[in-house]
C-alpha cells in the first residue's frame, strides 16, 4: 500500500473531469492537480514546446512526491512515449485507455476522434486504434475552438455559439457513418449534451478522462499502490496563472458544491509556492 498522492496535470482545467472520475473510483486517494493555465492551450503548440511544457509540469508534480502521474491532456498524451520511460513513477496518458474503450464499443469498426489540432496531427489515436484492431476505420477531426469555449463557460446546449461550432466540426463525422466517437480532450465532456444531441443516440461517446481514471485505478491496484488508510481523500489544486475565478470554473468541471481553493505555482522554480492561500479540502462529491 502507498499513501502518497496521485499527480494529475493538464494544460488548463479540462483535466478536472479526470479528477472527478478518479475521486469517485478511489475516494481515499489524495490527488494533486496542476493546471497550466498560464500557457493554455497546448493544442496549437509545436511538439518541441509541448514536450518542454510537459516536462516542467511533471517536475512540479514529482516535487509533491506523487506515486503516479496522469497526463489528463490529450495533446501531451500524443507524445506519451517521450515521458513513459523517463518518469520515475508509473505514468499514463489518455490515448491508450480511450482507444481501448472505443475498440470494444464499436460495432461497425468506424470510430471518430475529436481532439486538439496537435493531437490530430500526431495521429496517435489512429495509430493506437489500428494497432488494437487493424480493421478499424478512423475519422479524425480537430476542434480548436472547443477548449476556449469550455474554459469561458460556453456550455449551454441552447446557446447557438457552442452548438453551431460543434455542428460545423461534427458534420464530416456524421457523414462518415461512425458509431463511436472518442472525446479526445478532457475539456470535451463538458460539451457532451451538445455532442450527443448532434451525433444522435446511435453513436457511443467515449470520455477519455473517465476511461483514463478507470485505467489508473486498475494500474494502482495491480502495482500495490492503493492507499492503505481509512480516510476521505483530499484534492490540492495548483495553477500557473491567476487564481481568481478558479473556484467557480472548477466547480463546473468537478460537479460539486465544495469550494476548491488554489495556489499559484512558478514553474521556473518547479513548485515554488508564492501565495499562502491553499489548504487541502475534501474533493467534491458527485
Amino acid at each position: 500500500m502507498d499513501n502518497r498522492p496521485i499527480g494529475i496535470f493538464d494544460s488548463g482545467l479540462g483535466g478536472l473531469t479526470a479528477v472527478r472520475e478518479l475521486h469517485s473510483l478511489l475516494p481515499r486517494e489524495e490527488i494533486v492537480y496542476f493546471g497550466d493555465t498560464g500557457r493554455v492551450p497546448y493544442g496549437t503548440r509545436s511538439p518541441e514546446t509541448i514536450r518542454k511544457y510537459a516536462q516542467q509540469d511533471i517536475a512540479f508534480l514529482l516535487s509533491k512526491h506523487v506515486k503516479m502521474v496522469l497526463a489528463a491532456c490529450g495533446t501531451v498524451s500524443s507524445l506519451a512515449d517521450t515521458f513513459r520511460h523517463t518518469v520515475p513513477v508509473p505514468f499514463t496518458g489518455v490515448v491508450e485507455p480511450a482507444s481501448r474503450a472505443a475498440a470494444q464499443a464499436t460495432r461497425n469498426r468506424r470510430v471518430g476522434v475529436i481532439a486538439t489540432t496537435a493531437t490530430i496531427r500526431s495521429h496517435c489515436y489512429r495509430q493506437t486504434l489500428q494497432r488494437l484492431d487493424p480493421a478499424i476505420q478512423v475519422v479524425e477531426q480537430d476542434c480548436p475552438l472547443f477548449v476556449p469555449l469550455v474554459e469561458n463557460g460556453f456550455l449551454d446546449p441552447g446557446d447557438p455559439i457552442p452548438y453551431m461550432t460543434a455542428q460545423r466540426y461534427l458534420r464530416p463525422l456524421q457523414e462518415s457513418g461512425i458509431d463511436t466517437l472518442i472525446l479526445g480532450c478532457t475539456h470535451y465532456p463538458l460539451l457532451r449534451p451538445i455532442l450527443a444531441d448532434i451525433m444522435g443516440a446511435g453513436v457511443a461517446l467515449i470520455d477519455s478522462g473517465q476511461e483514463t481514471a478507470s485505467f489508473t485505478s486498475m494500474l494502482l491496484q495491480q502495482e500495490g499502490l492503493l492507499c492503505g488508510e481509512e480516510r476521505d481523500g483530499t484534492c490540492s489544486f495548483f495553477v500557473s496563472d491567476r487564481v481568481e475565478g478558479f473556484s467557480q470554473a472548477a466547480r463546473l468541471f468537478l460537479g460539486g458544491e465544495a469550494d476548491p481553493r488554489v495556489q499559484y505555482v512558478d514553474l521556473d522554480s518547479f513548485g515554488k509556492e508564492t501565495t499562502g492561500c491553499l489548504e487541502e479540502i475534501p474533493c467534491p462529491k458527485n
Side-chain angles (χ1 to χ4, degrees), residues 51-284:
R51 289 189 188 96
K52 175 185 174 182
Y53 289 177
Q55 286 167 349
Q56 290 180 304
D57 300 344
I58 293 168
F60 166 71
L61 290 176
L62 292 175
S63 78
K64 295 299 180 182
H65 308 292
V66 298
K67 61 186 174 184
M68 180 172 181
V69 173
L70 192 168
C73 175
T75 302
V76 172
S77 300
S78 70
L79 304 171
D81 287 342
T82 304
F83 312 106
R84 187 171 288 115
H85 303 297
T86 60
V87 178
V89 295
F91 173 88
T92 187
V94 299
V95 174
E96 183 80 19
S99 296
R100 288 185 177 277
Q104 293 175 354
T106 183
R107 303 176 304 280
N108 66 5
R109 292 182 171 174
R110 294 181 183 177
V111 176
V113 180
I114 54 175
T116 66
T117 300
T119 299
I120 294 301
R121 284 177 179 169
S122 76
H123 303 298
C124 57
Y125 278 103
R126 175 191 296 274
Q127 293 165 4
T128 304
L129 283 162
Q130 293 183 337
R131 171 171 55 80
L132 295 169
D133 183 350
I136 290 179
Q137 300 177 43
V138 183
V139 182
E140 301 166 301
Q141 176 64 53
D142 65 331
C143 305
L145 292 179
F146 277 0
V147 168
L149 283 173
V150 170
E151 295 262 338
N152 287 281
F154 288 90
L155 307 172
D156 186 349
D159 187 332
I161 295 175
Y163 200 93
M164 292 175 66
T165 302
Q167 278 186 314
R168 180 160 185 173
Y169 284 147
L170 296 180
R171 188 173 299 119
L173 298 164
Q174 290 175 299
E175 295 171 352
S176 70
I178 63 168
D179 72 350
T180 303
L181 177 63
I182 295 176
L183 311 186
C185 171
T186 49
H187 283 75
Y188 295 1
L190 273 294
L191 295 169
R192 188 182 186 110
I194 295 174
L195 304 177
D197 184 66
I198 293 172
M199 296 305 299
V203 177
L205 302 185
I206 304 298
D207 182 333
S208 57
Q210 184 179 59
E211 297 302 332
T212 304
S214 297
F215 176 82
T216 298
S217 174
M218 178 187 69
L219 182 60
L220 290 173
Q221 185 173 8
Q222 289 178 347
E223 297 294 324
L225 295 176
L226 290 173
C227 174
E229 292 183 358
E230 289 285 349
R231 67 185 186 187
D232 290 329
T234 61
C235 298
S236 301
F237 301 98
F238 300 85
V239 294
S240 59
D241 200 1
R242 55 194 297 271
V243 300
E244 293 82 6
F246 174 87
S247 295
Q248 181 178 356
R251 282 197 297 271
L252 183 66
F253 282 85
L254 293 167
E257 297 300 323
D259 180 19
R261 280 161 285 182
V262 62
Q263 186 157 346
Y264 167 75
V265 173
D266 177 3
L267 280 181
D268 290 336
S269 59
F270 299 124
K272 178 181 178 182
E273 297 178 355
T274 56
T275 65
C277 60
L278 177 75
E279 60 183 80
E280 292 189 343
I281 56 174
C283 285

